[in-house]
Amino acid sequence: MAKADGRLIVVSNRLPVVITKGADGRCVATPGSGGLVTALLPVLRDRGGIWIGWPGTSDPECGTEDVLAQAAAGTGYSLLPVTLSEDEIEKFYMGFSNEIIWPLFHDLPSFCNFEPSYWEVYTQVNRKYARAIIRHATPHDLIWVQDYHLIDTAAELRRLNSDAHIAFFLHIPFPSLDLFLKLPWRQALLRALLDYDLIGFQTLRDRRNFIQCLRTLIRDVQVYGKGQVLLARTGQREVRIGHFPIGIDYGAFANQAATEAVAARAAELHRLLPNRQLILGIDRLDYTKGILLRLQAFRNALMRYPKLRSNVTLIQVVVPSREHIPKYFDLRSQIEQLVGRINGEFTQPGGWVPIHYVFRSLDPLDLLAYYRAAEIGLVTPLKDGMNLVAKEYCTCSIEEDCVLILSEFAGAAAQLRHGALLVNPFDIEGMADAIYRAYSMNRAERQRRVHRMRREIQRRDVFWWVDSFLKAAFARNLDAFPVVAAGV
Ligand code: F6P
């Protein structure tokens, strides 16, 4: 049985590293810097641990244990690779994970490609991960599997006779019953989840959807409890089911955003785009982010509220992602056409350009400066597990004078609904009205709203997330968990 002070084995599709091959043919791995690594690092360092995952490359010379050892040097944990063949990348990662689960779980079933051969490779790759876990884990370790690529990993471990203590966190939404029923492998996937000892969701909405699917599809299931963590029993198995909204490293973001360097870069941005409010959208290139409808809403706002013309500029940053998947490739050209069309309609030659479009990732200084400089943040996904851009944006508003326009279908809306202007991302006029309302909002109201959101983001930061998840994994009984506050 895993011990509360045993090692942590984190398993995720991708390892938290960036591997590049230099001109001399040498592979260099540098540690990743995302929120998940930041949160797990202290735990991995204290308890000792291993991170197992795909190094993100199919180059046989890169992604080896030696190359990964460079990146892990001094971190206190080891990085162990699971290598994927080209066929596995195509059918497991791009196929089942990103052409079936991703669109279906984001309520876009018409975007799914239910290719039958994807399932077999999905289970085959999950078995590979399970074998890697068995090779490295001891009975005292807690195995913590991350996200939708690896739903089947616990089932594969059980097939290999493992009775390890295995927890799972789903970073993306869990769909409603009607949508989940469309999945040809619905029974197998649901049963696979029940092979975990703890399943964590982002929000109450996701947990409710999951329990409704369980009650409909698994005949003998019983669900007990009423706190943050519930208990499901089926046959001999007992599974804990909780919701744990993931957060950011509030302290690090707030401190860095308050530095002179960021203030200077933010001021420079205002100097370059003077006498107007800046509206910021920052998204990974993904059809779930609602970028096209948001651009249409911005156009609608410019048409219906002429006062906005030359008094606002939209900075839309799109970070390249999954470009080998046709839907993503197409989306990029649709965005670029629409930006061109809107700029063509409204630009004043020699003067105001309504949209400044950036297609690349921003370096950390620019990212913080854009967050800090923008008076209005537009975060309007069609559906999102959480959306950390919304949290990062509010946190970086050091003067607490910004307005967040947030989709009601982002997981973050459950926590930020008292401060944000909530919008339906399918309602173009509604979003346009929200843009105008944000533009016109007085300073006192902005401050009251953003202050409330920043307190919530600070209270439930990423360290709170890790602590509450591990507490749920190890708590002897579940009475310790609070009865869920509405919406969170
Ligand atoms: O939001 C889900 C997620 O898997 C994130 O963890 C990740 O940053 C992003 O999507 C992109 O992931 P990938 O490039 O591995 O498909």
Side-chain angles (χ1 to χ4, degrees):
M1 184 57 192
K3 288 188 174 164
D5 60 352
R7 291 187 316 170
L8 184 62
I9 313 283
V10 180
V11 190
S12 61
N13 170 51
R14 245 181 229 281
L15 283 173
V17 283
V18 181
I19 300 187
T20 46
K21 198 167 190 172
D24 58 358
R26 278 188 57 230
C27 304
V28 181
T30 42
S33 57
L36 190 60
V37 200
T38 315
L40 293 177
L41 199 64
V43 188
L44 286 163
R45 198 172 275 150
D46 284 0
R47 298 163 165 257
I50 303 177
W51 198 314
I52 296 174
W54 172 50
T57 167
S58 50
D59 184 331
E61 288 167 36
C62 296
T64 60
E65 292 197 15
D66 286 353
V67 173
L68 293 170
Q70 298 163 12
T75 58
Y77 62 91
S78 2
L79 293 168
L80 295 174
V82 173
T83 49
L84 299 181
S85 67
E86 293 292 348
D87 187 56
E88 288 170 338
I89 293 171
E90 194 189 316
K91 295 187 173 130
F92 153 77
Y93 168 68
M94 297 203 272
F96 199 84
S97 302
N98 286 321
E99 284 185 348
I100 297 182
I101 305 189
W102 179 268
L104 187 70
F105 283 31
H106 285 89
D107 297 0
L108 293 165
S110 62
F111 282 45
C112 292
N113 173 11
F114 291 112
E115 161 60 45
S117 66
Y118 288 171
W119 170 248
E120 200 189 318
V121 182
Y122 183 76
T123 56
Q124 172 192 314
V125 171
N126 273 254
R127 202 167 315 132
K128 249 189 183 183
Y129 278 83
R131 290 216 176 90
I133 295 168
I134 285 193
R135 262 200 307 282
H136 299 288
T138 74
H140 297 319
D141 299 337
L142 172 70
I143 296 158
W144 188 359
V145 178
Q146 310 287 329
D147 228 355
Y148 62 102
H149 317 84
L150 301 178
I151 292 178
D152 195 44
T153 298
E156 300 298 340
L157 278 162
R158 304 298 180 211
R159 268 175 219 125
L160 296 167
N161 290 323
S162 165
D163 62 354
H165 193 176
I166 322 170
F168 177 78
F169 187 79
L170 184 69
H171 291 255
I172 68 173
F174 194 88
S176 65
L177 175 65
D178 278 2
L179 285 162
F180 190 73
L181 285 178
K182 296 186 196 304
L183 183 69
W185 305 274
R186 60 200 189 186
Q187 274 284 345
L189 214 70
L190 213 53
R191 289 212 173 267
L193 278 166
L194 292 174
D195 276 313
Y196 286 96
D197 298 295
L198 166 66
I199 308 169
F201 295 99
Q202 296 274 23
T203 65
L204 204 49
R205 166 194 76 183
D206 304 308
R207 195 185 76 177
R208 276 195 201 117
N209 286 345
F210 175 69
I211 288 174
Q212 206 191 356
C213 291
L214 276 187
R215 289 197 163 122
T216 309
L217 290 168
I218 310 284
R219 216 167 280 152
D220 65 340
V221 78
Q222 302 283 349
V223 182
Y224 305 91
K226 53 181 170 10
Q228 190 194 353
V229 183
L230 308 180
L231 194 67
R233 273 205 192 108
T234 161
Q236 297 301 307
R237 288 207 53 74
E238 273 196 353
V239 184
R240 294 177 178 193
I241 306 171
H243 72 285
F244 310 89
I246 196 167
I248 61 167
D249 183 350
Y250 176 90
F253 269 94
N255 288 338
Q256 286 160 19
T259 58
E260 279 301 313
V262 171
R265 183 77 189 90
E268 189 191 339
L269 203 60
H270 271 299
R271 228 179 3 260
L272 294 169
L273 300 166
N275 308 320
R276 73 195 77 178
Q277 293 191 27
L278 301 179
I279 306 178
L280 180 66
I282 298 191
D283 307 86
R284 202 165 49 70
L285 178 71
D286 201 297
Y287 48 78
T288 62
K289 301 295 180 189
I291 303 170
L292 291 171
L293 287 171
R294 181 190 312 161
L295 291 170
Q296 287 181 39
F298 182 62
R299 175 173 183 268
N300 187 284
L302 295 180
M303 284 180 347
R304 289 173 47 237
Y305 299 103
K307 199 173 165 199
L308 292 177
R309 297 181 201 166
S310 73
N311 284 319
V312 294
T313 288
L314 170 62
I315 301 177
Q316 177 63 57
V317 179
V318 178
V319 178
S321 174
R322 301 181 192 164
E323 283 176 282
H324 299 296
I325 300 173
K327 282 264 180 307
Y328 288 74
F329 179 80
D330 296 346
L331 176 65
R332 177 179 176 182
S333 42
Q334 286 168 10
I335 292 171
E336 292 178 357
Q337 264 180 31
L338 191 52
V339 168
R341 182 174 159 208
I342 298 170
N343 278 345
E345 266 174 49
F346 294 97
T347 293
Q348 295 160 0
W352 178 65
V353 179
I355 305 175
H356 287 226
Y357 171 68
V358 179
F359 185 75
R360 57 172 186 274
S361 30
L362 295 179
D363 69 42
L365 177 67
D366 276 341
L367 177 71
L368 293 164
Y370 282 38
Y371 279 151
R372 182 162 172 183
E375 280 82 3
I376 300 170
L378 260 183
V379 182
T380 58
L382 308 182
K383 182 98 184 214
D384 216 329
M386 178 53 58
N387 197 296
L388 296 181
V389 167
K391 293 186 175 182
E392 291 172 5
Y393 172 67
C394 294
T395 302
C396 293
S397 178
I398 301 303
E399 287 79 20
E400 296 198 332
D401 59 355
C402 71
V403 188
L404 173 66
I405 299 178
L406 179 63
S407 161
E408 59 194 44
F409 305 124
Q415 289 172 275
L416 305 183
R417 65 191 193 285
H418 297 299
L421 295 184
L422 288 192
V423 291
N424 171 356
F426 297 94
D427 176 1
I428 292 172
E429 285 198 342
M431 281 194 284
D433 293 342
I435 291 172
Y436 187 67
R437 187 172 163 207
Y439 168 80
S440 317
M441 192 181 287
N442 65 46
R443 193 178 164 87
E445 185 176 351
R446 286 176 181 227
Q447 285 184 324
R448 188 166 37 77
R449 286 171 172 271
V450 75
H451 183 73
R452 211 165 164 177
M453 293 191 281
R454 290 178 96 231
R455 292 295 72 83
E456 170 62 18
I457 298 165
Q458 182 175 30
R459 197 161 72 88
R460 295 188 199 216
D461 65 4
V462 75
F463 304 106
W464 171 89
W465 175 75
V466 173
D467 284 352
S468 56
F469 189 86
L470 293 181
K471 193 170 149 218
F474 289 114
R476 283 187 195 280
N477 73 58
L478 297 178
D479 297 341
F481 287 89
V483 171
V484 181
V488 178

PDB file of all heavy atoms in Angstrom, residues 13-14 54 93 98 102 106 147-149 171-172 284 286 289 321-322 384, ligand 1:
ATOM      1  N   ASN A  13       1.432  12.223 -20.540  1.00  0.00           N
ATOM      2  CA  ASN A  13       1.758  11.938 -21.933  1.00  0.00           C
ATOM      3  C   ASN A  13       3.113  12.523 -22.288  1.00  0.00           C
ATOM      4  O   ASN A  13       3.995  11.837 -22.779  1.00  0.00           O
ATOM      5  CB  ASN A  13       0.670  12.501 -22.841  1.00  0.00           C
ATOM      6  CG  ASN A  13       1.068  12.440 -24.293  1.00  0.00           C
ATOM      7  OD1 ASN A  13       1.481  11.393 -24.774  1.00  0.00           O
ATOM      8  ND2 ASN A  13       1.004  13.555 -24.986  1.00  0.00           N
ATOM      9  N   ARG A  14       3.294  13.812 -22.012  1.00  0.00           N
ATOM     10  CA  ARG A  14       4.558  14.480 -22.339  1.00  0.00           C
ATOM     11  C   ARG A  14       5.382  14.690 -21.082  1.00  0.00           C
ATOM     12  O   ARG A  14       4.825  15.078 -20.050  1.00  0.00           O
ATOM     13  CB  ARG A  14       4.241  15.894 -22.860  1.00  0.00           C
ATOM     14  CG  ARG A  14       4.586  16.142 -24.266  1.00  0.00           C
ATOM     15  CD  ARG A  14       4.216  17.583 -24.577  1.00  0.00           C
ATOM     16  NE  ARG A  14       3.450  17.693 -25.794  1.00  0.00           N
ATOM     17  CZ  ARG A  14       3.984  17.657 -27.019  1.00  0.00           C
ATOM     18  NH1 ARG A  14       5.274  17.516 -27.188  1.00  0.00           N
ATOM     19  NH2 ARG A  14       3.221  17.776 -28.077  1.00  0.00           N
ATOM     20  N   TRP A  54       6.420  10.705 -22.441  1.00  0.00           N
ATOM     21  CA  TRP A  54       6.984  10.754 -23.794  1.00  0.00           C
ATOM     22  C   TRP A  54       7.851  12.017 -23.915  1.00  0.00           C
ATOM     23  O   TRP A  54       7.378  13.106 -23.556  1.00  0.00           O
ATOM     24  CB  TRP A  54       5.810  10.790 -24.783  1.00  0.00           C
ATOM     25  CG  TRP A  54       6.125  11.016 -26.218  1.00  0.00           C
ATOM     26  CD1 TRP A  54       7.047  10.349 -26.969  1.00  0.00           C
ATOM     27  CD2 TRP A  54       5.489  11.955 -27.096  1.00  0.00           C
ATOM     28  NE1 TRP A  54       7.025  10.810 -28.264  1.00  0.00           N
ATOM     29  CE2 TRP A  54       6.079  11.791 -28.366  1.00  0.00           C
ATOM     30  CE3 TRP A  54       4.489  12.910 -26.938  1.00  0.00           C
ATOM     31  CZ2 TRP A  54       5.691  12.557 -29.469  1.00  0.00           C
ATOM     32  CZ3 TRP A  54       4.101  13.670 -28.033  1.00  0.00           C
ATOM     33  CH2 TRP A  54       4.698  13.491 -29.281  1.00  0.00           C
ATOM     34  N   TYR A  93      -1.678   9.595 -30.104  1.00  0.00           N
ATOM     35  CA  TYR A  93      -1.641  11.006 -29.692  1.00  0.00           C
ATOM     36  C   TYR A  93      -2.544  11.879 -30.579  1.00  0.00           C
ATOM     37  O   TYR A  93      -3.504  12.480 -30.100  1.00  0.00           O
ATOM     38  CB  TYR A  93      -0.183  11.512 -29.687  1.00  0.00           C
ATOM     39  CG  TYR A  93      -0.084  13.016 -29.555  1.00  0.00           C
ATOM     40  CD1 TYR A  93      -0.453  13.649 -28.370  1.00  0.00           C
ATOM     41  CD2 TYR A  93       0.336  13.811 -30.617  1.00  0.00           C
ATOM     42  CE1 TYR A  93      -0.396  15.038 -28.245  1.00  0.00           C
ATOM     43  CE2 TYR A  93       0.403  15.194 -30.497  1.00  0.00           C
ATOM     44  CZ  TYR A  93       0.036  15.800 -29.314  1.00  0.00           C
ATOM     45  OH  TYR A  93       0.074  17.172 -29.207  1.00  0.00           O
ATOM     46  N   ASN A  98      -6.445  13.180 -29.612  1.00  0.00           N
ATOM     47  CA  ASN A  98      -6.761  14.541 -30.079  1.00  0.00           C
ATOM     48  C   ASN A  98      -7.777  14.630 -31.215  1.00  0.00           C
ATOM     49  O   ASN A  98      -8.189  15.728 -31.591  1.00  0.00           O
ATOM     50  CB  ASN A  98      -5.455  15.260 -30.445  1.00  0.00           C
ATOM     51  CG  ASN A  98      -4.711  15.652 -29.173  1.00  0.00           C
ATOM     52  OD1 ASN A  98      -5.341  16.072 -28.188  1.00  0.00           O
ATOM     53  ND2 ASN A  98      -3.409  15.496 -29.161  1.00  0.00           N
ATOM     54  N   TRP A 102     -10.429  14.587 -27.222  1.00  0.00           N
ATOM     55  CA  TRP A 102     -10.358  16.056 -27.096  1.00  0.00           C
ATOM     56  C   TRP A 102     -11.642  16.737 -27.616  1.00  0.00           C
ATOM     57  O   TRP A 102     -12.309  17.453 -26.855  1.00  0.00           O
ATOM     58  CB  TRP A 102      -9.097  16.586 -27.790  1.00  0.00           C
ATOM     59  CG  TRP A 102      -8.968  18.074 -27.715  1.00  0.00           C
ATOM     60  CD1 TRP A 102      -9.417  18.989 -28.624  1.00  0.00           C
ATOM     61  CD2 TRP A 102      -8.392  18.821 -26.637  1.00  0.00           C
ATOM     62  NE1 TRP A 102      -9.157  20.266 -28.190  1.00  0.00           N
ATOM     63  CE2 TRP A 102      -8.524  20.196 -26.974  1.00  0.00           C
ATOM     64  CE3 TRP A 102      -7.778  18.484 -25.431  1.00  0.00           C
ATOM     65  CZ2 TRP A 102      -8.058  21.217 -26.149  1.00  0.00           C
ATOM     66  CZ3 TRP A 102      -7.311  19.505 -24.608  1.00  0.00           C
ATOM     67  CH2 TRP A 102      -7.453  20.854 -24.971  1.00  0.00           C
ATOM     68  N   HIS A 106     -14.878  18.250 -25.262  1.00  0.00           N
ATOM     69  CA  HIS A 106     -15.123  19.697 -25.340  1.00  0.00           C
ATOM     70  C   HIS A 106     -16.430  19.985 -26.090  1.00  0.00           C
ATOM     71  O   HIS A 106     -16.596  21.042 -26.695  1.00  0.00           O
ATOM     72  CB  HIS A 106     -13.944  20.407 -26.021  1.00  0.00           C
ATOM     73  CG  HIS A 106     -12.734  20.526 -25.135  1.00  0.00           C
ATOM     74  ND1 HIS A 106     -11.760  19.557 -25.076  1.00  0.00           N
ATOM     75  CD2 HIS A 106     -12.346  21.485 -24.248  1.00  0.00           C
ATOM     76  CE1 HIS A 106     -10.818  19.919 -24.205  1.00  0.00           C
ATOM     77  NE2 HIS A 106     -11.160  21.086 -23.694  1.00  0.00           N
ATOM     78  N   ASP A 147      -4.267  13.235 -17.014  1.00  0.00           N
ATOM     79  CA  ASP A 147      -4.972  13.621 -18.241  1.00  0.00           C
ATOM     80  C   ASP A 147      -5.414  12.524 -19.231  1.00  0.00           C
ATOM     81  O   ASP A 147      -5.106  11.362 -19.086  1.00  0.00           O
ATOM     82  CB  ASP A 147      -4.192  14.701 -18.973  1.00  0.00           C
ATOM     83  CG  ASP A 147      -5.108  15.856 -19.372  1.00  0.00           C
ATOM     84  OD1 ASP A 147      -6.327  15.729 -19.151  1.00  0.00           O
ATOM     85  OD2 ASP A 147      -4.624  16.859 -19.902  1.00  0.00           O
ATOM     86  N   TYR A 148      -6.134  13.008 -20.240  1.00  0.00           N
ATOM     87  CA  TYR A 148      -6.963  12.168 -21.109  1.00  0.00           C
ATOM     88  C   TYR A 148      -6.220  11.183 -21.998  1.00  0.00           C
ATOM     89  O   TYR A 148      -6.825  10.249 -22.511  1.00  0.00           O
ATOM     90  CB  TYR A 148      -7.857  13.074 -21.979  1.00  0.00           C
ATOM     91  CG  TYR A 148      -7.108  14.002 -22.913  1.00  0.00           C
ATOM     92  CD1 TYR A 148      -6.990  13.730 -24.262  1.00  0.00           C
ATOM     93  CD2 TYR A 148      -6.503  15.160 -22.435  1.00  0.00           C
ATOM     94  CE1 TYR A 148      -6.311  14.586 -25.122  1.00  0.00           C
ATOM     95  CE2 TYR A 148      -5.814  16.018 -23.281  1.00  0.00           C
ATOM     96  CZ  TYR A 148      -5.728  15.728 -24.612  1.00  0.00           C
ATOM     97  OH  TYR A 148      -5.048  16.577 -25.453  1.00  0.00           O
ATOM     98  N   HIS A 149      -4.927  11.419 -22.205  1.00  0.00           N
ATOM     99  CA  HIS A 149      -4.185  10.468 -23.036  1.00  0.00           C
ATOM    100  C   HIS A 149      -4.046   9.124 -22.331  1.00  0.00           C
ATOM    101  O   HIS A 149      -3.856   8.103 -22.971  1.00  0.00           O
ATOM    102  CB  HIS A 149      -2.768  10.984 -23.311  1.00  0.00           C
ATOM    103  CG  HIS A 149      -2.703  12.445 -23.653  1.00  0.00           C
ATOM    104  ND1 HIS A 149      -2.669  13.442 -22.689  1.00  0.00           N
ATOM    105  CD2 HIS A 149      -2.677  13.073 -24.844  1.00  0.00           C
ATOM    106  CE1 HIS A 149      -2.603  14.621 -23.278  1.00  0.00           C
ATOM    107  NE2 HIS A 149      -2.617  14.431 -24.587  1.00  0.00           N
ATOM    108  N   HIS A 171      -7.482  16.946 -16.703  1.00  0.00           N
ATOM    109  CA  HIS A 171      -7.309  18.400 -16.834  1.00  0.00           C
ATOM    110  C   HIS A 171      -8.368  19.027 -17.729  1.00  0.00           C
ATOM    111  O   HIS A 171      -8.569  20.235 -17.694  1.00  0.00           O
ATOM    112  CB  HIS A 171      -5.910  18.710 -17.388  1.00  0.00           C
ATOM    113  CG  HIS A 171      -4.805  18.400 -16.423  1.00  0.00           C
ATOM    114  ND1 HIS A 171      -4.120  19.364 -15.730  1.00  0.00           N
ATOM    115  CD2 HIS A 171      -4.294  17.224 -16.009  1.00  0.00           C
ATOM    116  CE1 HIS A 171      -3.209  18.796 -14.937  1.00  0.00           C
ATOM    117  NE2 HIS A 171      -3.305  17.492 -15.095  1.00  0.00           N
ATOM    118  N   ILE A 172      -8.999  18.218 -18.563  1.00  0.00           N
ATOM    119  CA  ILE A 172     -10.005  18.760 -19.491  1.00  0.00           C
ATOM    120  C   ILE A 172     -11.407  18.475 -18.932  1.00  0.00           C
ATOM    121  O   ILE A 172     -11.538  17.737 -17.956  1.00  0.00           O
ATOM    122  CB  ILE A 172      -9.806  18.182 -20.915  1.00  0.00           C
ATOM    123  CG1 ILE A 172     -10.126  16.670 -20.962  1.00  0.00           C
ATOM    124  CG2 ILE A 172      -8.385  18.437 -21.414  1.00  0.00           C
ATOM    125  CD1 ILE A 172     -10.117  16.087 -22.387  1.00  0.00           C
ATOM    126  N   ARG A 284      -3.745  29.101 -27.048  1.00  0.00           N
ATOM    127  CA  ARG A 284      -3.111  28.095 -27.877  1.00  0.00           C
ATOM    128  C   ARG A 284      -3.989  27.956 -29.118  1.00  0.00           C
ATOM    129  O   ARG A 284      -5.212  28.109 -29.031  1.00  0.00           O
ATOM    130  CB  ARG A 284      -3.091  26.790 -27.068  1.00  0.00           C
ATOM    131  CG  ARG A 284      -2.069  25.790 -27.476  1.00  0.00           C
ATOM    132  CD  ARG A 284      -1.935  24.743 -26.380  1.00  0.00           C
ATOM    133  NE  ARG A 284      -3.203  24.200 -25.937  1.00  0.00           N
ATOM    134  CZ  ARG A 284      -3.976  23.397 -26.655  1.00  0.00           C
ATOM    135  NH1 ARG A 284      -3.624  23.039 -27.866  1.00  0.00           N
ATOM    136  NH2 ARG A 284      -5.116  22.949 -26.166  1.00  0.00           N
ATOM    137  N   ASP A 286      -6.343  26.499 -31.025  1.00  0.00           N
ATOM    138  CA  ASP A 286      -7.245  25.373 -30.775  1.00  0.00           C
ATOM    139  C   ASP A 286      -8.681  25.828 -31.023  1.00  0.00           C
ATOM    140  O   ASP A 286      -9.091  26.914 -30.573  1.00  0.00           O
ATOM    141  CB  ASP A 286      -7.102  24.897 -29.319  1.00  0.00           C
ATOM    142  CG  ASP A 286      -7.610  23.473 -29.155  1.00  0.00           C
ATOM    143  OD1 ASP A 286      -8.819  23.234 -29.377  1.00  0.00           O
ATOM    144  OD2 ASP A 286      -6.795  22.590 -28.842  1.00  0.00           O
ATOM    145  N   LYS A 289     -11.005  27.175 -28.262  1.00  0.00           N
ATOM    146  CA  LYS A 289     -10.751  28.464 -27.600  1.00  0.00           C
ATOM    147  C   LYS A 289     -11.703  29.565 -28.057  1.00  0.00           C
ATOM    148  O   LYS A 289     -11.702  30.664 -27.504  1.00  0.00           O
ATOM    149  CB  LYS A 289      -9.297  28.914 -27.811  1.00  0.00           C
ATOM    150  CG  LYS A 289      -8.270  27.913 -27.274  1.00  0.00           C
ATOM    151  CD  LYS A 289      -8.328  27.763 -25.762  1.00  0.00           C
ATOM    152  CE  LYS A 289      -7.298  26.774 -25.238  1.00  0.00           C
ATOM    153  NZ  LYS A 289      -7.474  26.455 -23.810  1.00  0.00           N
ATOM    154  N   SER A 321       0.181  25.214 -32.119  1.00  0.00           N
ATOM    155  CA  SER A 321      -0.064  23.964 -31.402  1.00  0.00           C
ATOM    156  C   SER A 321      -0.672  22.926 -32.341  1.00  0.00           C
ATOM    157  O   SER A 321      -1.480  23.277 -33.198  1.00  0.00           O
ATOM    158  CB  SER A 321      -1.033  24.280 -30.258  1.00  0.00           C
ATOM    159  OG  SER A 321      -1.444  23.130 -29.582  1.00  0.00           O
ATOM    160  N   ARG A 322      -0.285  21.679 -32.191  1.00  0.00           N
ATOM    161  CA  ARG A 322      -0.881  20.522 -32.884  1.00  0.00           C
ATOM    162  C   ARG A 322      -1.122  20.785 -34.375  1.00  0.00           C
ATOM    163  O   ARG A 322      -2.165  20.407 -34.929  1.00  0.00           O
ATOM    164  CB  ARG A 322      -2.209  20.140 -32.215  1.00  0.00           C
ATOM    165  CG  ARG A 322      -2.054  19.790 -30.751  1.00  0.00           C
ATOM    166  CD  ARG A 322      -3.366  19.391 -30.124  1.00  0.00           C
ATOM    167  NE  ARG A 322      -3.226  19.346 -28.658  1.00  0.00           N
ATOM    168  CZ  ARG A 322      -4.237  19.334 -27.811  1.00  0.00           C
ATOM    169  NH1 ARG A 322      -5.485  19.343 -28.235  1.00  0.00           N
ATOM    170  NH2 ARG A 322      -4.032  19.297 -26.508  1.00  0.00           N
ATOM    171  N   ASP A 384     -13.798  24.711 -21.678  1.00  0.00           N
ATOM    172  CA  ASP A 384     -12.423  24.580 -21.207  1.00  0.00           C
ATOM    173  C   ASP A 384     -12.421  23.907 -19.847  1.00  0.00           C
ATOM    174  O   ASP A 384     -13.317  24.158 -19.032  1.00  0.00           O
ATOM    175  CB  ASP A 384     -11.800  25.982 -21.065  1.00  0.00           C
ATOM    176  CG  ASP A 384     -10.334  25.994 -21.439  1.00  0.00           C
ATOM    177  OD1 ASP A 384      -9.677  24.962 -21.237  1.00  0.00           O
ATOM    178  OD2 ASP A 384      -9.857  27.032 -21.927  1.00  0.00           O
TER     179      ASP A 384
HETATM  180  O1  F6P B   1      -4.983  21.351 -21.983  1.00  0.00           O
HETATM  181  C1  F6P B   1      -4.569  20.062 -22.219  1.00  0.00           C
HETATM  182  C2  F6P B   1      -3.149  19.989 -22.743  1.00  0.00           C
HETATM  183  O2  F6P B   1      -2.791  18.637 -22.893  1.00  0.00           O
HETATM  184  C3  F6P B   1      -2.142  20.714 -21.871  1.00  0.00           C
HETATM  185  O3  F6P B   1      -1.696  19.947 -20.817  1.00  0.00           O
HETATM  186  C4  F6P B   1      -1.070  21.070 -22.849  1.00  0.00           C
HETATM  187  O4  F6P B   1      -0.325  22.176 -22.459  1.00  0.00           O
HETATM  188  C5  F6P B   1      -1.857  21.377 -24.101  1.00  0.00           C
HETATM  189  O5  F6P B   1      -3.042  20.620 -24.015  1.00  0.00           O
HETATM  190  C6  F6P B   1      -1.113  21.072 -25.398  1.00  0.00           C
HETATM  191  O6  F6P B   1      -0.739  19.758 -25.360  1.00  0.00           O
HETATM  192  P1  F6P B   1      -0.013  18.929 -26.478  1.00  0.00           P
HETATM  193  O7  F6P B   1       0.859  19.873 -27.250  1.00  0.00           O
HETATM  194  O8  F6P B   1       0.774  17.912 -25.726  1.00  0.00           O
HETATM  195  O9  F6P B   1      -1.073  18.299 -27.311  1.00  0.00           O
END
